[in-house]
Amino acid sequence: MAVTRKDVARLAQVSEATVSYVMNNTKNVTPAVRERVLAAIKELNYHPNLLAKSLATNETRHVIMLVDNLQNPHYGNLMQGAQSAAEKEGYLVSVLSSKYCSRHTMEELVSRGIDGVIMTLSSKDSDFMADLNIPMVPGDDNLRIDYHQAIQDMTSAFQRLGHKNIAFLSGLPLSMGNPRYFSFQESLQKYGLNQDPALIVDGDGSTDERAGYAAADELLKRKIPFTGVFAINDLMAIGAMKCFWDKGLHVPEDISICGCDAIESASYTLPPLATINSNPFQLGEGLMYRMVSMLHPERDLPQKNVVVSASFVQRASMGQAPE
Protein backbone atom coordinates (compact mmCIF):
# COMPACT_ATOMS: atom_id res chain seq x y z
CA MET A 1 0.00 0.00 0.00
CA ALA A 2 1.32 3.46 -0.90
CA VAL A 3 2.45 5.72 1.90
CA THR A 4 0.28 8.82 2.26
CA ARG A 5 0.73 12.25 3.76
CA LYS A 6 -1.59 11.11 6.54
CA ASP A 7 0.88 8.35 7.45
CA VAL A 8 3.72 10.87 7.64
CA ALA A 9 1.63 13.18 9.84
CA ARG A 10 0.76 10.31 12.20
CA LEU A 11 4.41 9.22 12.59
CA ALA A 12 5.64 12.81 13.07
CA GLN A 13 2.74 13.60 15.40
CA VAL A 14 1.71 16.68 13.45
CA SER A 15 -1.21 17.66 11.23
CA GLU A 16 -1.31 16.89 7.50
CA ALA A 17 -1.21 20.63 6.86
CA THR A 18 2.10 20.87 8.72
CA VAL A 19 3.53 18.12 6.51
CA SER A 20 2.53 20.22 3.50
CA TYR A 21 4.11 23.34 5.00
CA VAL A 22 7.41 21.52 5.45
CA MET A 23 7.41 19.93 1.99
CA ASN A 24 6.43 23.09 0.14
CA ASN A 25 8.19 25.65 2.35
CA THR A 26 4.98 27.66 2.43
CA LYS A 27 4.94 28.48 6.16
CA ASN A 28 7.49 28.62 8.92
CA VAL A 29 7.53 25.77 11.40
CA THR A 30 9.86 25.24 14.34
CA PRO A 31 13.15 23.46 13.64
CA ALA A 32 12.11 20.57 15.90
CA VAL A 33 8.84 20.02 14.02
CA ARG A 34 10.57 20.27 10.64
CA GLU A 35 13.13 17.69 11.76
CA ARG A 36 10.38 15.28 12.90
CA VAL A 37 8.51 15.63 9.61
CA LEU A 38 11.63 15.11 7.48
CA ALA A 39 12.64 12.10 9.57
CA ALA A 40 9.18 10.58 9.09
CA ILE A 41 9.33 11.20 5.33
CA LYS A 42 12.68 9.46 5.18
CA GLU A 43 11.65 6.53 7.38
CA LEU A 44 8.47 5.89 5.40
CA ASN A 45 10.15 6.63 2.04
CA TYR A 46 7.24 8.93 1.24
CA HIS A 47 6.86 10.36 -2.27
CA PRO A 48 3.96 12.74 -2.91
CA ASN A 49 1.44 11.93 -5.60
CA LEU A 50 2.33 14.64 -8.09
CA LEU A 51 -0.54 13.73 -10.41
CA ALA A 52 -3.07 14.25 -7.63
CA LYS A 53 -1.34 17.49 -6.69
CA SER A 54 -1.43 18.76 -10.27
CA LEU A 55 -5.16 18.04 -10.45
CA ALA A 56 -5.72 19.93 -7.21
CA THR A 57 -3.54 22.93 -8.08
CA ASN A 58 -4.00 22.90 -11.88
CA GLU A 59 -0.19 22.99 -12.13
CA THR A 60 2.00 20.25 -13.61
CA ARG A 61 5.36 21.99 -13.00
CA HIS A 62 6.39 20.86 -16.48
CA VAL A 63 7.28 23.26 -19.30
CA ILE A 64 8.33 22.74 -22.92
CA MET A 65 11.21 24.46 -24.73
CA LEU A 66 10.86 24.70 -28.51
CA VAL A 67 14.05 24.89 -30.62
CA ASP A 68 14.61 24.79 -34.37
CA ASN A 69 17.53 22.35 -34.57
CA LEU A 70 18.15 19.64 -31.97
CA GLN A 71 21.42 18.72 -33.71
CA ASN A 72 22.96 22.10 -32.91
CA PRO A 73 24.96 21.86 -29.64
CA HIS A 74 24.08 25.51 -29.00
CA TYR A 75 20.60 24.40 -28.00
CA GLY A 76 22.00 21.67 -25.79
CA ASN A 77 23.83 24.36 -23.79
CA LEU A 78 20.68 26.49 -23.77
CA MET A 79 18.71 23.54 -22.44
CA GLN A 80 21.26 22.87 -19.70
CA GLY A 81 20.86 26.44 -18.47
CA ALA A 82 17.07 26.10 -18.47
CA GLN A 83 17.29 22.76 -16.68
CA SER A 84 19.61 24.22 -14.03
CA ALA A 85 17.06 26.91 -13.19
CA ALA A 86 14.15 24.45 -13.42
CA GLU A 87 15.83 22.12 -10.92
CA LYS A 88 16.16 24.95 -8.40
CA GLU A 89 12.51 25.91 -8.82
CA GLY A 90 11.07 22.39 -8.74
CA TYR A 91 10.17 22.18 -12.42
CA LEU A 92 10.82 19.78 -15.27
CA VAL A 93 11.69 21.13 -18.71
CA SER A 94 11.50 19.12 -21.94
CA VAL A 95 12.81 20.13 -25.35
CA LEU A 96 11.02 19.67 -28.68
CA SER A 97 12.10 20.38 -32.24
CA SER A 98 9.80 22.77 -34.09
CA LYS A 99 10.73 20.90 -37.26
CA TYR A 100 8.65 17.92 -36.15
CA CYS A 101 6.15 19.75 -33.94
CA SER A 102 2.80 20.58 -35.49
CA ARG A 103 -0.17 22.54 -34.21
CA HIS A 104 -1.84 19.22 -33.40
CA THR A 105 1.18 18.13 -31.32
CA MET A 106 1.06 21.30 -29.24
CA GLU A 107 -2.71 21.01 -28.73
CA GLU A 108 -2.18 17.43 -27.56
CA LEU A 109 0.53 18.52 -25.09
CA VAL A 110 -1.67 21.29 -23.71
CA SER A 111 -4.57 18.89 -23.26
CA ARG A 112 -2.33 16.42 -21.40
CA GLY A 113 -1.05 19.16 -19.15
CA ILE A 114 1.94 21.50 -19.39
CA ASP A 115 2.32 24.81 -17.60
CA GLY A 116 3.96 26.82 -20.38
CA VAL A 117 6.18 26.99 -23.45
CA ILE A 118 9.61 28.64 -23.79
CA MET A 119 10.22 29.87 -27.32
CA THR A 120 13.62 30.14 -29.01
CA LEU A 121 12.11 30.62 -32.47
CA SER A 122 11.37 33.54 -34.74
CA SER A 123 7.83 34.88 -34.80
CA LYS A 124 7.45 33.38 -38.30
CA ASP A 125 8.39 29.90 -37.09
CA SER A 126 6.11 30.16 -34.07
CA ASP A 127 2.89 31.14 -35.87
CA PHE A 128 1.48 27.67 -35.27
CA MET A 129 1.56 28.41 -31.52
CA ALA A 130 -0.96 31.23 -31.74
CA ASP A 131 -4.17 31.08 -29.67
CA LEU A 132 -3.17 28.01 -27.66
CA ASN A 133 -4.15 29.79 -24.44
CA ILE A 134 -1.01 28.81 -22.53
CA PRO A 135 1.76 30.97 -21.03
CA MET A 136 4.63 31.52 -23.48
CA VAL A 137 8.05 33.08 -22.97
CA PRO A 138 9.58 34.58 -26.12
CA GLY A 139 13.21 35.59 -26.55
CA ASP A 140 12.48 39.32 -26.79
CA ASP A 141 14.40 42.55 -26.22
CA ASN A 142 14.50 41.93 -22.46
CA LEU A 143 15.80 38.39 -22.78
CA ARG A 144 18.25 37.94 -25.61
CA ILE A 145 21.86 37.67 -26.69
CA ASP A 146 23.58 40.98 -27.48
CA TYR A 147 25.99 40.25 -30.35
CA HIS A 148 26.82 43.87 -31.17
CA GLN A 149 30.18 44.33 -29.43
CA ALA A 150 31.38 40.80 -30.22
CA ILE A 151 30.70 41.25 -33.94
CA GLN A 152 32.45 44.62 -33.89
CA ASP A 153 35.47 42.96 -32.27
CA MET A 154 35.42 40.23 -34.93
CA THR A 155 35.19 42.77 -37.77
CA SER A 156 38.01 44.80 -36.26
CA ALA A 157 40.15 41.64 -36.17
CA PHE A 158 39.38 40.95 -39.84
CA GLN A 159 40.42 44.52 -40.69
CA ARG A 160 43.70 44.29 -38.73
CA LEU A 161 44.50 41.13 -40.68
CA GLY A 162 44.08 43.05 -43.95
CA HIS A 163 40.64 41.75 -45.03
CA LYS A 164 38.48 44.19 -47.00
CA ASN A 165 35.86 41.88 -48.55
CA ILE A 166 34.07 39.78 -45.94
CA ALA A 167 31.12 37.59 -46.90
CA PHE A 168 28.16 36.67 -44.69
CA LEU A 169 26.50 33.23 -44.81
CA SER A 170 23.07 33.86 -43.35
CA GLY A 171 21.28 30.52 -43.25
CA LEU A 172 18.20 32.42 -42.03
CA PRO A 173 16.15 34.60 -44.42
CA LEU A 174 17.35 38.19 -44.16
CA SER A 175 13.69 39.22 -44.05
CA MET A 176 13.58 37.82 -40.50
CA GLY A 177 15.76 40.70 -39.33
CA ASN A 178 18.43 38.65 -37.57
CA PRO A 179 20.41 40.89 -35.16
CA ARG A 180 23.70 39.25 -36.17
CA TYR A 181 23.21 40.44 -39.75
CA PHE A 182 22.43 44.03 -38.72
CA SER A 183 25.37 44.18 -36.31
CA PHE A 184 27.65 42.85 -39.05
CA GLN A 185 26.48 45.48 -41.54
CA GLU A 186 27.02 48.25 -38.95
CA SER A 187 30.51 46.92 -38.25
CA LEU A 188 31.45 46.83 -41.94
CA GLN A 189 30.40 50.46 -42.22
CA LYS A 190 32.25 51.46 -39.06
CA TYR A 191 35.53 49.98 -40.28
CA GLY A 192 35.13 51.14 -43.88
CA LEU A 193 34.89 47.61 -45.34
CA ASN A 194 33.09 46.47 -48.50
CA GLN A 195 29.30 46.11 -48.14
CA ASP A 196 28.66 44.47 -51.51
CA PRO A 197 25.22 42.72 -51.35
CA ALA A 198 26.64 39.98 -53.59
CA LEU A 199 28.76 38.87 -50.62
CA ILE A 200 25.62 38.13 -48.58
CA VAL A 201 24.20 34.63 -49.08
CA ASP A 202 20.59 34.50 -47.91
CA GLY A 203 19.08 31.30 -46.48
CA ASP A 204 15.83 29.38 -46.15
CA GLY A 205 16.05 28.72 -42.43
CA SER A 206 18.49 25.79 -42.51
CA THR A 207 21.62 26.48 -40.43
CA ASP A 208 23.43 23.13 -40.28
CA GLU A 209 26.69 21.97 -41.90
CA ARG A 210 24.94 21.05 -45.15
CA ALA A 211 23.47 24.55 -45.39
CA GLY A 212 26.91 26.02 -44.75
CA TYR A 213 28.44 23.91 -47.51
CA ALA A 214 25.71 24.98 -49.96
CA ALA A 215 26.03 28.66 -49.00
CA ALA A 216 29.81 28.60 -49.48
CA ASP A 217 29.38 26.88 -52.84
CA GLU A 218 26.89 29.57 -53.92
CA LEU A 219 29.30 32.29 -52.76
CA LEU A 220 32.13 30.84 -54.86
CA LYS A 221 29.88 30.57 -57.93
CA ARG A 222 29.22 34.31 -57.79
CA LYS A 223 32.93 34.93 -58.49
CA ILE A 224 32.98 38.08 -56.34
CA PRO A 225 36.39 38.49 -54.66
CA PHE A 226 36.40 37.89 -50.91
CA THR A 227 38.98 36.80 -48.36
CA GLY A 228 36.91 36.54 -45.16
CA VAL A 229 33.65 34.83 -44.16
CA PHE A 230 31.33 35.29 -41.19
CA ALA A 231 28.84 32.42 -40.81
CA ILE A 232 25.71 32.79 -38.71
CA ASN A 233 26.69 29.80 -36.57
CA ASP A 234 29.52 27.32 -36.10
CA LEU A 235 27.76 24.47 -37.90
CA MET A 236 27.47 26.55 -41.07
CA ALA A 237 31.08 27.67 -40.71
CA ILE A 238 32.24 24.04 -40.45
CA GLY A 239 30.24 23.15 -43.57
CA ALA A 240 31.75 26.12 -45.41
CA MET A 241 35.28 25.04 -44.43
CA LYS A 242 34.59 21.62 -45.96
CA CYS A 243 33.36 23.25 -49.19
CA PHE A 244 36.46 25.44 -49.44
CA TRP A 245 38.68 22.40 -48.87
CA ASP A 246 36.85 20.45 -51.58
CA LYS A 247 37.40 23.37 -53.98
CA GLY A 248 41.14 23.44 -53.29
CA LEU A 249 41.07 26.48 -51.01
CA HIS A 250 42.81 26.54 -47.63
CA VAL A 251 41.79 28.12 -44.34
CA PRO A 252 43.22 30.56 -43.35
CA GLU A 253 45.82 30.89 -46.13
CA ASP A 254 43.22 31.60 -48.84
CA ILE A 255 40.07 32.33 -46.82
CA SER A 256 39.61 33.29 -43.17
CA ILE A 257 36.38 32.31 -41.46
CA CYS A 258 34.53 32.93 -38.19
CA GLY A 259 31.44 31.19 -36.85
CA CYS A 260 29.12 31.91 -33.96
CA ASP A 261 27.95 30.05 -30.79
CA ALA A 262 31.31 28.63 -29.57
CA ILE A 263 30.17 25.02 -29.67
CA GLU A 264 32.74 22.59 -28.24
CA SER A 265 33.58 20.93 -31.57
CA ALA A 266 34.57 24.31 -33.08
CA SER A 267 37.81 24.18 -31.09
CA TYR A 268 38.66 20.78 -32.64
CA THR A 269 38.38 21.68 -36.33
CA LEU A 270 41.56 22.05 -38.39
CA PRO A 271 42.38 24.84 -38.01
CA PRO A 272 40.41 25.66 -34.83
CA LEU A 273 37.42 27.80 -35.74
CA ALA A 274 37.23 31.41 -34.62
CA THR A 275 33.79 32.03 -33.15
CA ILE A 276 31.53 34.21 -31.05
CA ASN A 277 30.61 32.88 -27.62
CA SER A 278 26.90 33.55 -27.16
CA ASN A 279 26.77 32.21 -23.56
CA PRO A 280 23.62 30.10 -24.16
CA PHE A 281 23.68 28.59 -20.65
CA GLN A 282 22.98 32.01 -19.13
CA LEU A 283 20.22 32.66 -21.65
CA GLY A 284 18.61 29.28 -20.88
CA GLU A 285 18.60 30.14 -17.18
CA GLY A 286 17.01 33.49 -17.91
CA LEU A 287 14.31 31.97 -20.11
CA MET A 288 13.38 29.46 -17.41
CA TYR A 289 13.28 32.08 -14.66
CA ARG A 290 11.08 34.24 -16.90
CA MET A 291 8.73 31.28 -17.29
CA VAL A 292 8.50 30.70 -13.53
CA SER A 293 8.00 34.44 -12.96
CA MET A 294 5.13 34.41 -15.43
CA LEU A 295 3.53 31.45 -13.68
CA HIS A 296 4.14 32.92 -10.20
CA PRO A 297 4.14 36.73 -10.50
CA GLU A 298 3.96 37.05 -6.72
CA ARG A 299 7.48 35.65 -6.36
CA ASP A 300 10.68 37.69 -6.52
CA LEU A 301 12.87 35.64 -8.81
CA PRO A 302 16.33 36.42 -10.27
CA GLN A 303 17.07 37.16 -13.93
CA LYS A 304 13.59 38.24 -14.98
CA ASN A 305 15.18 40.47 -17.62
CA VAL A 306 18.45 39.24 -19.07
CA VAL A 307 20.59 40.56 -21.88
CA VAL A 308 23.54 38.19 -22.29
CA SER A 309 26.63 39.77 -23.84
CA ALA A 310 28.42 37.65 -26.46
CA SER A 311 32.21 37.74 -26.84
CA PHE A 312 34.59 37.20 -29.77
CA VAL A 313 36.97 34.22 -29.61
CA GLN A 314 39.83 34.57 -32.10
CA ARG A 315 41.40 31.32 -33.32
CA ALA A 316 43.61 30.05 -36.13
CA SER A 317 40.86 29.97 -38.79
CA MET A 318 41.42 33.72 -39.11
CA GLY A 319 44.75 34.69 -40.65
CA GLN A 320 46.42 37.39 -42.67
CA ALA A 321 44.58 38.26 -45.86
CA PRO A 322 46.33 36.93 -49.00
CA GLU A 323 47.97 39.45 -51.31
Side-chain angles (χ1 to χ4, degrees), residues 12-175:
Q13 297 180 337
V14 296
S15 67
E16 292 184 49
T18 301
V19 175
S20 295
Y21 298 155
V22 172
M23 296 187 66
N24 299 320
N25 283 318
T26 51
K27 286 189 178 180
N28 290 326
V29 298
T30 65
V33 169
R34 176 178 295 277
E35 187 175 335
R36 287 210 314 272
V37 171
L38 294 176
I41 289 172
K42 183 176 182 181
E43 181 177 336
L44 296 173
N45 195 25
Y46 171 62
H47 298 282
N49 187 332
L50 295 181
L51 178 59
K53 183 178 179 181
S54 68
L55 291 173
T57 62
N58 197 31
E59 183 183 33
T60 64
R61 303 188 78 78
H62 182 200
V63 302
I64 298 295
M65 176 181 281
L66 273 179
V67 304
D68 65 3
N69 184 1
L70 283 173
Q71 293 180 314
N72 190 341
H74 167 78
Y75 290 113
N77 294 329
L78 192 76
M79 181 64 179
Q80 286 184 19
Q83 189 172 343
S84 172
E87 176 75 15
K88 295 171 185 174
E89 299 300 326
Y91 277 80
L92 294 175
V93 56
S94 301
V95 64
L96 289 178
S97 169
S98 62
K99 190 174 183 180
Y100 303 102
C101 191
S102 65
R103 169 80 180 193
H104 173 73
T105 301
M106 293 310 303
E107 289 174 343
E108 188 74 14
L109 279 170
V110 172
S111 68
R112 294 186 184 192
I114 55 173
D115 290 346
V117 179
I118 297 173
M119 309 291 291
T120 65
L121 315 173
S122 70
S123 57
K124 179 181 178 182
D125 290 333
S126 59
D127 288 345
F128 71 97
M129 294 289 297
D131 304 321
L132 278 178
N133 193 30
I134 188 169
M136 295 186 198
V137 171
D140 57 20
D141 286 342
N142 294 320
L143 198 51
R144 61 183 172 83
I145 300 171
D146 183 358
Y147 292 100
H148 187 74
Q149 186 59 53
I151 290 177
Q152 282 209 1
D153 292 342
M154 174 201 70
T155 309
S156 174
F158 269 124
Q159 185 200 46
R160 289 196 305 272
L161 291 167
H163 298 275
K164 298 179 181 179
N165 302 304
I166 308 168
F168 179 64
L169 307 184
S170 174
L172 303 176
L174 297 181
S175 59

Side-chain angles (χ1 to χ4, degrees), residues 85 88-89 286 288-305:
K88 295 171 185 174
E89 299 300 326
M288 188 64 214
Y289 277 121
R290 173 73 68 82
M291 182 85 262
V292 180
S293 295
M294 184 178 291
L295 297 171
H296 297 280
E298 74 284 358
R299 297 181 57 190
D300 184 21
L301 292 169
Q303 301 185 48
K304 290 182 180 179
N305 299 314

Side-chain angles (χ1 to χ4, degrees), residues 169 208-219 235-247:
L169 307 184
D208 57 13
E209 296 93 337
R210 187 174 300 178
Y213 191 105
D217 190 47
E218 167 63 24
L219 180 63
L235 296 185
M236 286 197 67
I238 291 169
M241 290 172 73
K242 175 66 165 62
C243 177
F244 296 145
W245 176 265
D246 288 349
K247 304 295 183 180

